[in-house]
Amino acid sequence: MPCPRIRAALCLSALLWLSCVGATRPTSTSSSESLRYHITYVSQPEPALDVEVMLLTGAPRLFRFTQPGGVATVVAYREDGERLDVAVVDGAVRVPPNVRILRYRYALGARGRARGMGLHTGMGDADAWHVAGRAYLLRPHEVSPTLRAELRVTGADALLPWLPDASGAYHLRGEDLVDAGFHGFGGRRCQVVLSDAVVDVALLGHFSRVSDARVCGWLEQAATEVRTVRRSFPHPRISVRVISVPRRDEPLFGMVLWSSPPSISLLLGQDATEASFTRDWVALHEMLHLTHPALLPRVPWLSEGLATYFTELARARSGRQSAGRAWEELVDGFARGKRAAGERTMEAVVTDSDVSQGTYWCGALFALHLDVEIRRVTGNRRRLEDVLEWLAERGTTSTLGAFGVAVDAVAGEPLFESLLARHLPRRAFVEQEGLLEALGVTVGVAGVTLVEARDSTLREMMDGTRTSGVAR
């Protein structure tokens, strides 16, 4: 969706936005589909997706593209074979009477040529392509809870958020067509198998300096580090698409979409090296978004702040970076966020934009402060991670208010609202200096030093340098 350091990739995130998750996917499928989709990948005369939608009994008559712009006309066929060209108007398609079949073509590279390729609209080369389902899937304008659809793919090996049945058919709810996640066509496959989860991976494009197995190992490392924050991996299965980017040598950008289950896509430099993976934070950051439910309506400063904060702690807890380095990264990030914020209050920063460094690092500082206060009031017996566990037990979506309730429940006393009231109306990052001083994180000419201080024991529990008395 968006990552802690942002760097040059930040400009991409302004063009992209996260979708929202619906209810948990049921374990059973329905045989009462009212829509059947057949998606065919074609490579000539250019890479494209030919989509056919069959309207069965009870099918809606008004459709739309969740993210319009890729299709101008849909061809409709009546029961007697008559063909009608139906214009797409502001993303909407009104189906004429007696129509049973809709067909259209989505050119995967067309919008890229016009405005630059993107994770949503289509990117790739040869026969390995990536696109967001919301960009090319025509879906009902209104989705009822009972709507069901069958979807099949031919012409390429596809990695979609969902699992097909033995015949290759995907059985979807209506909301799956709305929050359709990321889709990959072609490429190669690998799989990360954890004790409690599976990560299905599509490698879209080639890498000159690392093997496919090493790319998959990079994702396994990130998935393992997520479990330093949560007791188990947050979802039994997720899918990840890794897209090769020419003339770059490191992970560049990532995004999670709240399909069900969630889907992640990552941009990886074609010339990435082993060292690139050792110092990477992008894959871990995106997987850390899965540690909390989707917040509705969106609260970017909190969701990005949590992932940003835990990115550094998780890498320290796994041993991939030292505790000192983790605090250096946090301090450097706070400095970048402070420069972006200027003299504005935290409330002004997080209201103005959801893609600025000020937003990400305001959120990360608040997450740090929450973690410290929870540990203080509970005698270091509870922590911010317990809030994530509390929320996960209650569903796949949440709200800012419910997050606050979870904080207070874990802390055993009212905490969230008073802490938020300390941050929002005041100049952004004003709490940073005192908080770090109490933790024993000192910043000098030589860099960051960790020393004994009032809350240094809390800090040591947070970064993983001491584990006695705290269940990991």
Side-chain angles (χ1 to χ4, degrees):
M1 189 137 308
C3 303
R5 243 82 58 211
I6 318 297
R7 297 190 181 117
L10 179 60
C11 62
L12 288 175
S13 63
L15 303 176
L16 305 171
W17 55 287
L18 296 176
S19 67
C20 300
V21 70
T24 304
R25 167 179 291 282
T27 55
S28 62
T29 60
S30 170
S31 60
S32 58
E33 289 93 353
S34 56
L35 299 170
R36 288 181 183 164
Y37 290 78
H38 187 181
I39 300 163
T40 304
Y41 172 82
V42 295
S43 59
Q44 299 296 329
E46 63 180 359
L49 299 173
D50 283 343
V51 181
E52 178 182 275
V53 187
M54 182 175 293
L55 311 182
L56 305 177
T57 302
R61 311 308 291 181
L62 180 61
F63 289 76
R64 70 173 302 101
F65 292 96
T66 304
Q67 182 177 323
V71 178
T73 303
V74 171
V75 179
Y77 294 89
R78 285 195 163 121
E79 292 176 338
D80 60 6
E82 180 185 2
R83 168 180 168 150
L84 303 170
D85 290 339
V86 182
V88 180
V89 180
D90 296 328
V93 175
R94 187 172 295 277
V95 180
N98 300 318
V99 165
R100 287 293 174 260
I101 295 176
L102 302 174
R103 289 176 181 158
Y104 61 91
R105 171 168 288 193
Y106 184 90
L108 288 163
R111 296 170 78 181
R113 288 192 296 272
R115 292 179 289 181
M117 290 188 182
L119 280 177
H120 280 192
T121 57
M123 60 191 305
D125 56 38
D127 282 327
W129 283 85
H130 177 279
V131 66
R134 67 179 345 138
Y136 80 92
L137 273 180
L138 187 65
R139 52 88 167 179
H141 180 74
E142 294 184 356
V143 174
S144 70
T146 59
L147 182 69
R148 296 292 182 268
E150 179 186 287
L151 184 148
R152 293 179 182 270
V153 179
T154 57
D157 182 18
L159 180 61
L160 309 185
W162 321 286
L163 280 173
D165 65 16
S167 73
Y170 299 86
H171 298 277
L172 309 181
R173 302 162 305 163
E175 56 227 69
D176 290 324
L177 300 173
V178 179
D179 299 322
F182 285 127
H183 299 186
F185 297 89
R188 304 169 312 285
R189 301 290 180 269
C190 64
Q191 190 176 72
V192 173
V193 180
L194 307 174
S195 61
D196 53 1
V198 170
V199 180
D200 285 322
V201 183
L203 304 173
L204 305 176
H206 293 274
F207 305 98
S208 61
R209 300 183 184 179
V210 292
S211 66
D212 288 355
R214 186 61 191 93
V215 176
C216 211
W218 165 53
L219 301 178
E220 182 176 13
Q221 171 182 269
T224 300
E225 288 173 334
V226 167
R227 295 196 298 183
T228 71
V229 175
R230 286 286 304 277
R231 298 189 187 105
S232 59
F233 196 79
H235 296 269
R237 176 188 172 271
I238 64 168
S239 60
V240 178
R241 282 137 294 273
V242 181
I243 306 105
S244 171
V245 179
R247 297 181 296 279
R248 301 300 293 268
D249 62 359
E250 63 182 348
L252 303 172
F253 184 78
M255 178 173 281
V256 58
L257 288 185
W258 291 102
S259 49
S260 182
S263 53
I264 293 174
S265 289
L266 303 166
L267 302 184
L268 176 62
Q270 189 176 64
D271 300 321
T273 64
E274 179 69 32
S276 305
F277 295 144
T278 300
R279 60 177 178 263
D280 174 58
W281 49 268
V282 174
L284 172 60
H285 179 91
E286 294 309 315
M287 289 191 189
L288 283 168
H289 277 301
L290 308 180
T291 61
H292 64 80
L295 298 174
L296 305 177
R298 294 180 59 221
V299 189
W301 67 265
L302 180 58
S303 60
E304 294 295 345
L306 289 168
T308 299
Y309 169 61
F310 280 121
T311 293
E312 304 311 333
L313 295 192
R315 291 196 293 168
R317 291 171 181 177
S318 73
R320 189 150 61 98
Q321 68 180 4
S322 67
R325 182 60 183 166
W327 290 101
E328 286 176 5
E329 293 284 359
L330 285 169
V331 168
D332 288 348
F334 294 150
R336 291 194 298 278
K338 189 174 183 179
R339 288 194 295 271
E343 297 300 314
R344 293 177 295 167
T345 65
M346 176 184 170
E347 186 171 16
V349 171
V350 302
T351 301
D352 287 349
S353 172
D354 64 359
V355 296
S356 73
Q357 293 211 29
T359 300
Y360 285 75
W361 290 101
C362 274
L365 180 64
F366 186 75
L368 169 61
H369 205 165
L370 266 182
D371 201 4
V372 169
E373 292 301 324
I374 291 170
R375 291 170 185 269
R376 279 178 179 166
V377 301
T378 64
N380 215 6
R381 292 187 298 274
R382 307 299 296 274
R383 51 190 181 158
L384 184 55
E385 293 96 308
D386 293 319
V387 174
L388 306 182
E389 298 289 349
W390 194 94
L391 289 168
E393 292 173 358
R394 287 159 177 80
T396 57
T397 62
S398 191
T399 64
L400 180 61
F403 186 89
V405 169
V407 169
D408 295 348
V410 168
E413 63 181 68
L415 178 63
F416 182 77
E417 290 296 337
S418 60
L419 193 61
L420 194 59
R422 282 177 60 176
H423 281 256
L424 284 177
R426 303 173 69 195
R427 182 166 52 85
F429 297 95
V430 71
E431 295 281 350
Q432 175 188 336
E433 184 175 350
L435 186 59
L436 293 179
E437 181 180 356
L439 289 169
V441 181
T442 63
V443 184
V445 177
V448 173
T449 306
L450 305 182
V451 300
E452 291 291 328
R454 186 190 72 184
D455 292 331
S456 57
T457 300
L458 303 185
R459 184 201 73 229
E460 290 171 345
M461 292 292 191
M462 293 156 68
D463 61 36
T465 57
R466 182 180 299 171
T467 58
S468 60
V470 175
R472 283 287 179 211

